[in-house]
């Protein structure tokens, strides 16, 4: 499931052809199949010629009549083999040909405790089928899954490569993800040892590969996580409205086209409204100018703050989660996520002023602004006033503008200073990676470097947009009698 990018269609058919007869459409399909060999940067995937016929025989029903497996610059993908209209069901995969933990052998399953995740159990199923090779009932599918060296999830990056994204929260999330997978591996290893004829020489890296295949390709249903052959060849477009849907009554998964497609055009779906951080960590790719980008930031209550304990107590009492340190003790760190909407992103990209607090746009999370208001309190009375106000409203702390306008501006100026420092840090990280095109970087490193730049630049755009929003908010207080 590599990055899906829209291929420029120089010969787009559109609606005039939709009223043609089947004979005319077949001729057009043949004609444009020939053109595609010359004009479009994709080709048929010879390695998977027999895949769809095999899957349809296994299912006993037709899976798709309008899609074919091909290769593009982004890897294996699905292309329209016929005219597709918005609203068409383009594929339908019955549950009985989806790979799920139900296929785990009972003797192995009984050795796994209840804390083992669905992802880990399905990863074991994949490992078993991989070991069976051509003797596996799922061999045509398993052989089409990405090899280890084709995957770019950050858990597979070297320490030097991870340093490229040290500024991003993805760095720590990658470390946490690897720890989680290692914990799962240690939990399932006793089962491996009981069946050496099946799991001989299975390493942590093998398990991590299978785990990543499942976590990046599986879809959830009432049965838990399942790998859906053929459907998981569809690539991602963050703006698409098409998704994999489950129909429990019909016991199948299906995809409905969200727009028209011409023969030879790559068909795309949306895996979710994912930021580049999620895409890189879980799927191994990024999107330039991702409309769902976001950035995680942390604020600390300084240890030298004389009101530190009172602030912590007030924040906890009014539902502001407080992080824990490595010893499990409450810390003074507040974690927040700033997201960027499409409108805000376009404004940032065009270097225009972000909408003021009274205009449209995402703005800054209320929880972050509330945290800043609490941080800037300089007396116990101010904190008590905020607590009383929360109790008299919806229980949430400091969600309204402070009555003291100077203190309200001070709280937001504090956020500006924090975000300004982050912007500077991101600039430094990006500059350290050098220009995108470099004769000294090639192959896998060049690809991962580009992904790192997409990630950092996307998060930098969010920070810039947030900075502009905060500046406008403070300017509003200083020039008008505006109140939220």
């Amino acid at each position: 499931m590599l990055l899906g990018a829209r291929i420029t269609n120089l010969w787009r058919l559109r609606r005039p052809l939709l009223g043609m007869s089947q004979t005319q459409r077949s001729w057009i399909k043949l004609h444009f199949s020939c053109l595609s060999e010359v004009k479009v940067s994709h080709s048929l995937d010879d390695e998977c010629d027999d895949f769809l016929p095999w899957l349809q025989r296994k299912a006993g029903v037709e899976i798709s009549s309008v899609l074919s497996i091909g290769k593009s610059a982004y890897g294996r993908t699905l292309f329209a083999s016929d005219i597709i209209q918005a609203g068409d069901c383009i594929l339908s995969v019955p549950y009985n040909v989806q790979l799920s933990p139900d296929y785990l052998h009972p003797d192995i399953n009984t050795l796994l405790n209840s804390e083992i995740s669905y992802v880990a159990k399905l990863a074991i199923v994949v490992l078993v089928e991989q070991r069976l090779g051509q003797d596996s009932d799922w061999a045509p599918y398993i052989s089409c899954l990405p090899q280890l060296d084709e995957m770019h999830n950050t858990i597979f990056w070297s320490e030097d490569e991870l340093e490229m994204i040290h500024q991003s929260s993805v760095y720590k999330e990658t470390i946490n993800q690897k720890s989680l997978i290692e914990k799962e591996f240690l939990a399932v290893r006793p089962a491996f040892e009981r069946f050496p004829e099946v799991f001989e020489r299975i390493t942590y890296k093998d398990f991590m590969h299978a785990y990543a295949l499942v976590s990046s390709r599986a879809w959830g249903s009432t049965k838990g996580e399942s790998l859906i052959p053929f459907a998981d060849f569809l690539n991602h477009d963050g703006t698409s409205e098409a998704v994999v849907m489950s129909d429990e009554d019909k016991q199948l998964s299906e995809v409905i086209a969200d727009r028209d497609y011409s023969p030879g055009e790559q068909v795309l779906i949306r895996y979710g409204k994912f930021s580049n951080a999620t895409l890189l960590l879980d799927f191994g790719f990024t999107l330039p100018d991702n409309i769902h980008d976001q950035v995680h930031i942390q604020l600390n209550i300084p240890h030298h703050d004389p009101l530190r304990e009172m602030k912590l107590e007030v924040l906890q009492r009014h539902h502001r989660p407080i992080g824990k340190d490595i010893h499990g003790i409450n810390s003074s760190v507040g974690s927040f996520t700033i997201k960027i909407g499409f409108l805000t992103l376009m404004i940032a990209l065009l270097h225009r002023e972000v909408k003021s607090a009274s205009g449209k746009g995402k703005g800054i999370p209320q929880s972050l602004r509330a945290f800043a208001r609490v941080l800037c309190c300089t007396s116990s009375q101010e904190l008590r006033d905020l607590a009383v106000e929360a109790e008299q409203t919806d229980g949430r702390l400091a969600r309204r503008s402070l009555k003291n306008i100077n203190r309200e501006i001070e709280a937001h100026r504090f956020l500006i200073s924090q975000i300004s420092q982050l912007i500077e840090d991101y600039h430094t990280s990006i500059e350290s990676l050098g220009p995108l095109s470099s004769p000294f970087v090639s192959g896998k490193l060049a690809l991962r470097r580009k992904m790192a730049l997409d990630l950092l630049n996307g998060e930098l755009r969010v920070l810039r947009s947030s900075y502009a929003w905060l500046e406008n908010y403070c300017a509003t207080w200083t020039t008008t009698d505006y109140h939220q």
Side-chain angles (χ1 to χ4, degrees), residues 301-312:
I301 301 177
H303 284 277
H304 59 74
D305 188 334
L307 296 173
R308 181 173 181 273
E309 294 303 320
M310 186 176 182
K311 289 176 181 179
L312 282 172

Side-chain angles (χ1 to χ4, degrees), residues 297-316 320-322 331-336 366-380 382-384 386-387 397-400 402 406-419:
I297 68 171
Q298 291 187 332
L299 297 181
N300 295 282
I301 301 177
H303 284 277
H304 59 74
D305 188 334
L307 296 173
R308 181 173 181 273
E309 294 303 320
M310 186 176 182
K311 289 176 181 179
L312 282 172
E313 189 274 329
V314 169
L315 286 165
Q316 283 184 292
R320 173 63 245 170
I322 299 298
S331 75
S332 57
V333 177
S335 296
F336 306 88
Q366 285 284 3
S367 58
L368 173 58
R369 299 167 66 194
F371 196 92
R373 288 170 180 139
V374 172
L375 277 178
C376 289
C377 286
T378 57
S379 71
S380 57
E382 284 180 300
L383 290 170
R384 283 194 290 269
L386 289 178
L397 188 70
R399 295 304 176 101
R400 296 181 177 179
L402 297 174
N406 290 332
R407 187 78 74 224
E408 175 73 1
I409 294 174
E410 179 186 347
H412 287 75
R413 284 290 174 195
F414 168 76
L415 290 179
I416 288 173
S417 68
Q418 297 295 304
I419 290 175

Side-chain angles (χ1 to χ4, degrees), residues 137-297:
D137 291 339
W138 297 89
Y141 173 60
I142 297 297
S143 65
C144 287
L145 295 176
Q147 299 300 306
L148 181 60
D149 62 358
E150 296 176 305
M151 301 190 71
H152 300 285
N153 314 52
T154 50
I155 59 172
F156 300 115
W157 288 26
S158 68
E159 291 185 11
D160 287 343
E161 289 169 335
L162 279 177
E163 278 300 317
M164 294 190 294
I165 57 171
H166 195 282
Q167 184 61 43
S168 171
S169 63
V170 179
Y171 179 85
K172 289 184 178 178
E173 289 169 13
T174 299
I175 294 172
N176 293 338
Q177 180 79 328
K178 291 176 74 171
S179 296
L180 173 64
I181 297 173
E182 184 176 12
K183 181 180 178 181
E184 296 252 52
F185 176 67
L186 293 174
V188 303
R189 193 163 62 177
F192 292 171
E193 293 170 349
R194 286 285 298 273
F195 296 93
E197 68 278 9
V198 177
F199 299 108
E200 185 180 11
R201 292 189 296 276
I202 290 287
T203 66
Y204 168 59
K205 183 171 286 188
D206 295 327
F207 180 76
M208 185 163 62
H209 176 216
Y211 195 100
L213 285 173
V214 172
S215 62
S216 64
R217 307 177 77 83
W219 293 83
S221 70
T222 55
K223 297 176 64 179
E225 303 289 336
S226 297
L227 290 170
I228 308 177
F230 197 66
D232 65 359
F233 293 155
L234 286 163
N235 286 336
H236 171 78
D237 176 0
T239 63
S240 175
E241 293 299 322
V243 296
V244 175
M245 300 181 295
S246 295
D247 189 322
E248 301 300 332
D249 294 331
K250 296 180 181 179
Q251 292 288 287
L252 55 78
S253 299
E254 62 184 3
V255 175
I256 308 299
D258 67 322
R259 66 177 184 87
D260 299 344
Y261 287 94
S262 304
E265 190 174 4
Q266 184 179 189
V267 178
L268 303 165
I269 63 171
R270 188 182 70 222
Y271 299 166
K273 295 181 179 181
F274 296 141
S275 66
N276 274 339
T278 297
L279 292 177
L280 187 54
L281 178 68
D282 294 337
F283 300 93
F285 67 85
T286 54
L287 297 172
D289 303 330
N290 189 339
I291 64 171
H292 302 297
D293 262 334
Q294 59 188 37
V295 63
H296 297 282
I297 68 171

